[in-house]
Amino acid sequence: MDNCIFCKIARGEVPSKKVYEDADVFAFHDIHPAAPVHFMLVPKLHVGSLADVEDKHRGLLGNMMLLIPRLAKEQGCTDGFRTVINTGHVGGQEVYHLHVHIIGGGERLPAMIPRPR
Ligand code: 5GP
Ligand code: ZN
């Protein structure tokens, strides 16, 4: 995708603080970190969002899930981390290239969805 910022980052055309790269995925620090560790893992293939995944992405998605705990630990998340995938308008997605946020490295994060009392 020519005009996708995360495609450009994954291709190295837009600078980022790289965490990891292989043939299929790219990980880089979020420009506005929400915690001491906050990076994103994206497929190099342009997939708009989690709402757009298909059966052909099964292996890619599986590999991403397996990679996340390894990268999280390497980045200093020794006592857990949070993964977030915002999807679509209601999900608050801002960049329409599938990405997993990996967040942690500090205090226990607040409950993401407030529990009813
Ligand atoms: P979303 O709301 O779509 O799940 O998250 C998009 C994230 O991408 C945001 O946390 C935002 O800070 C981050 N972001 C947006 N543009 C850039 C960029 O050009 N470089 C980096 N490193 N992060 C970005
Ligand atoms: Zn893209």
Side-chain angles (χ1 to χ4, degrees):
M1 288 284 280
D2 290 347
N3 264 328
C4 171
I5 183 75
F6 285 0
C7 279
K8 288 182 181 173
I9 287 174
R11 288 196 296 257
E13 294 168 11
V14 165
S16 70
K17 282 172 67 185
K18 183 164 91 171
V19 167
Y20 174 84
E21 179 176 16
D22 66 24
D24 300 317
V25 302
F26 194 90
F28 57 103
H29 291 281
D30 197 296
I31 205 163
H32 296 302
V37 175
H38 184 176
F39 64 96
M40 290 177 285
L41 178 64
V42 306
K44 288 188 171 176
L45 179 73
H46 181 86
V47 178
S49 84
L50 194 60
D52 299 313
V53 299
E54 300 174 27
D55 198 57
K56 66 185 179 191
H57 302 126
R58 184 178 297 267
L60 174 65
L61 294 169
N63 288 340
M64 289 173 69
M65 288 298 123
L66 290 169
L67 188 56
I68 285 167
R70 189 187 118 196
L71 296 182
K73 197 172 171 189
E74 286 174 6
Q75 290 302 308
C77 297
T78 53
D79 195 18
F81 54 89
R82 178 168 291 169
T83 44
V84 175
I85 305 176
N86 295 322
T87 303
H89 174 70
V90 168
Q93 187 173 3
E94 290 174 1
V95 177
Y96 278 78
H97 178 127
L98 175 64
H99 54 283
V100 183
H101 295 258
I102 296 99
I103 303 163
E107 299 297 306
R108 184 183 177 93
L109 295 162
M112 203 166 56
I113 300 166
R115 292 181 182 80
R117 287 165 188 267

